[in-house]
Amino acid sequence: MEFEGCSCFRQRLVLSTLSGKRVKIRNIRSKDDNPGLRDFEASFIRLLDKVTNGTRIEINQTGTVLFYQPGLLSGGSIEHECNVQRSVGYYLEALLMLAPFMKNPLRAVLTGVTNDPKDPSVDLLKITAIPLMKTFGIDGDGLELKVLKRGMAPAGGGEVLFSCPIRRSIRPMQLTEPGKIKRIRGTAFSVRVSPQMANRIVDAARSILNKFIPDIYIYTDHMKGLSSGKSPGFGLTLVAETVNGTFLGAEVVSTPQGQGEPVLPEDLGRNCAKLLLEEIYRGGCVDSTNQSLALLYMTLGQQDVSKTLLGPPSPYTIEFLRHIRDFFQIMFRIEPQNPEEDECKGGEKILMTCVGVGYSNISKTIK
């Protein structure tokens, strides 16, 4: 399969690995002053090479053409140093999609930037993506995501452990009732700055959220010494949990040292609370960060009908749906839901329905 340009780079390689189809990507930033693959993309390709066996990768001299022939997903224990241009979340999102289908359970230690303003942080993926994987039947003792050391942009220095059990197949799901919000949890963290910063963030966030719900607990996490990475910074991750076990998350991180305007902890706390309220307004059974993960699991599920209710799809999700159609020939039925008829008000929702391809983990041994 042939593609042009550098957009949706991860999507194409992840879906190529799962479907076993070869891809060729041409004209990667060919008109740019600095053409070709960036360092973080090369680092991503190396990570895919570590978790697979027999993958063939060819890149031309200028880095503007990539040929990728996927091998088998082998898994096992790996260590990878992520490029600091993007956070560990950039690499983790792909591993969440691939990990259940490995030959051996995956245990990955990733080092680099754990929180930055561009990508979903490790904290956000831990409180939203992991519960979503459990919903689809990927659970057990082996599923965990832990921040061993925090590392802020630009210098990084963080360390994250992700381990995931393997599954023969994914069961079809009907996620159509998000339910009402019952509690809000969060983590305010600060590294290489005063521990008081985290308390100021918590007070500002609570000043907004206390008007809506009493059950709020925001944990403060101040890491010291070696586990605090190489750059100063602070941030807040919030998650709203519903009575039906849906998790909607939002996060804000301080601007990296030496880049852009500095931000006050009070403003950051209030912004994050407002972002969470916006995410709740958008609603659905999956938050906007994990829409593509849920749609992928639905596509790869057993040959039965899966349904999920989503809020307005993000541009990333829309591209992802096009790629699923190209790689797996799966089309989703998209039905707009009228929020006025529903007792839970909010933004416009869509009901996504598909029949899974019955993807099976060929390398998992049958006991």
Side-chain angles (χ1 to χ4, degrees), residues 32-48:
D32 218 40
D33 294 344
N34 179 13
L37 291 168
R38 294 282 177 268
D39 291 348
F40 66 87
E41 289 164 337
S43 174
F44 180 71
I45 295 171
R46 282 197 294 277
L47 175 64
L48 284 183

Side-chain angles (χ1 to χ4, degrees), residues 118-360:
K118 269 191 291 212
D119 298 298
S121 73
V122 179
D123 302 273
L124 188 69
L125 292 174
K126 180 179 178 174
I127 53 182
T128 57
I130 299 292
L132 179 68
M133 291 173 78
K134 289 179 178 171
T135 312
F136 278 92
I138 303 157
D139 50 10
D141 304 337
L143 183 64
E144 71 167 341
L145 181 53
K146 249 194 333 207
V147 182
L148 306 174
K149 296 178 186 172
R150 267 193 201 287
M152 300 294 294
E159 192 174 304
V160 175
L161 168 71
F162 170 56
S163 62
C164 178
I166 47 179
R167 286 290 171 267
R168 174 92 198 166
S169 56
I170 286 187
R171 59 175 184 233
M173 289 308 299
Q174 310 278 330
L175 302 173
T176 52
E177 293 293 325
K180 294 188 172 175
I181 304 293
K182 67 174 178 181
R183 61 178 172 210
I184 291 174
R185 295 286 178 265
T187 305
F189 63 87
S190 55
V191 289
R192 299 195 171 270
V193 291
S194 157
Q196 203 53 42
M197 291 288 199
N199 300 336
R200 286 165 63 186
I201 293 171
V202 173
D203 293 343
R206 290 194 77 116
S207 70
I208 289 180
L209 297 174
N210 278 348
K211 298 171 191 167
F212 300 98
I213 192 169
D215 188 357
I216 300 172
Y217 185 79
I218 303 174
Y219 170 74
T220 53
D221 175 22
H222 181 73
M223 287 195 167
K224 297 179 187 151
L226 289 173
S227 57
S228 65
K230 298 172 184 171
S231 296
F234 49 87
L236 172 64
T237 308
L238 291 173
V239 64
E241 187 186 342
T242 71
V243 286
N244 292 352
T246 294
F247 291 83
L248 304 169
E251 66 172 344
V252 181
V253 181
S254 60
T255 37
Q257 187 184 20
Q259 298 173 16
E261 289 287 308
V263 60
L264 282 170
E266 286 80 6
D267 293 348
L268 187 138
R270 282 193 290 271
N271 288 348
C272 192
K274 287 173 185 167
L275 274 176
L276 183 71
L277 294 175
E278 188 186 322
E279 195 65 60
I280 293 168
Y281 175 79
R282 292 168 61 116
C285 293
V286 182
D287 67 346
S288 46
T289 314
N290 296 302
Q291 286 175 345
S292 50
L293 184 66
L295 294 174
L296 179 77
Y297 286 162
M298 286 167 68
T299 304
L300 300 176
Q302 292 162 6
Q303 289 175 327
D304 200 352
V305 176
S306 287
K307 288 183 181 181
T308 189
L309 187 73
L310 296 183
S314 61
Y316 183 86
T317 308
I318 293 165
E319 281 298 325
F320 195 75
L321 284 168
R322 290 180 183 139
H323 281 101
I324 283 179
R325 180 197 61 199
D326 294 345
F327 281 95
F328 288 103
Q329 284 75 52
I330 286 281
M331 302 277 272
F332 280 78
R333 190 168 84 200
I334 302 174
E335 299 167 78
Q337 302 291 301
N338 192 350
E340 270 128 47
E341 299 163 8
D342 191 14
E343 58 176 90
C344 304
K345 299 283 191 293
E348 292 184 356
K349 318 270 190 298
I350 52 172
L351 184 66
M352 309 286 285
T353 313
C354 82
V355 176
V357 292
Y359 187 87
S360 178

